[in-house]
Amino acid sequence: MLYPSRLLFFNLGVEIGQLAFVAAVLATGELFRRAVALRFEPATVDHTINRLDMVAAYAIGAVAAYWLIERTSAFFV
């Protein structure tokens, strides 16, 4: 028998895990950015970070577009 409270706490656990993962990735990125900023010129670091942000945005968009096409094409096949 499935209890609603078990499903609720399972979903809350999954969401907390996702938030913890995102927080860890953001913290690691910030530490990396600060370490690189100490070694190189700030203008170079800012330019590189802006480029990496653009590459990451396009990569995320490409994966999202692939998933969208893959899942919506299942309706028509």
Side-chain angles (χ1 to χ4, degrees):
M1 179 174 217
L2 183 63
Y3 296 105
S5 62
R6 290 181 183 176
L7 182 60
L8 171 69
F9 286 115
F10 172 77
N11 286 334
L12 287 175
V14 169
E15 295 300 325
I16 290 169
Q18 289 176 352
L19 290 173
F21 177 77
V22 169
V25 168
L26 290 175
T28 302
E30 181 63 23
L31 288 173
F32 180 73
R33 187 190 67 77
R34 288 183 185 190
V36 170
L38 292 174
R39 178 145 170 94
F40 298 107
E41 295 177 16
T44 305
V45 173
D46 288 341
H47 178 70
T48 304
I49 288 174
N50 288 339
R51 287 287 189 169
L52 288 174
D53 285 346
M54 189 179 348
V55 169
Y58 276 106
I60 291 168
V63 171
Y66 173 77
W67 282 343
L68 175 71
I69 293 168
E70 180 185 34
R71 291 177 181 176
T72 56
S73 67
F75 288 122
F76 301 113
V77 176

